[in-house]
C-alpha cells in the first residue's frame, strides 16, 4: 500500500492543474532513496 500525505495530494493536484495534465499518474519506487 502507498500512503500519501494530505499536503502531497494538494501539491500534486495543483501541479496537475497548473500543467493541464488530466491523465493518470505513474508512481515508481526505486531503491536508494
Amino acid at each position: 500500500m502507498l500512503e500519501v500525505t494530505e499536503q502531497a495530494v494538494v501539491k500534486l493536484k495543483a501541479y496537475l492543474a497548473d500543467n493541464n495534465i488530466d491523465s493518470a499518474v505513474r508512481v515508481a519506487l526505486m531503491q536508494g532513496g
Side-chain angles (χ1 to χ4, degrees):
M1 177 180 287
L2 177 66
E3 291 186 32
V4 181
T5 65
E6 189 64 32
Q7 183 178 9
V9 172
V10 169
K11 289 185 179 240
L12 180 58
K13 285 182 178 181
Y15 175 82
L16 295 175
D18 290 346
N19 292 284
N20 297 318
I21 299 171
D22 60 1
S23 60
V25 175
R26 181 176 292 181
V27 176
L29 301 176
M30 302 176 77
Q31 184 176 5

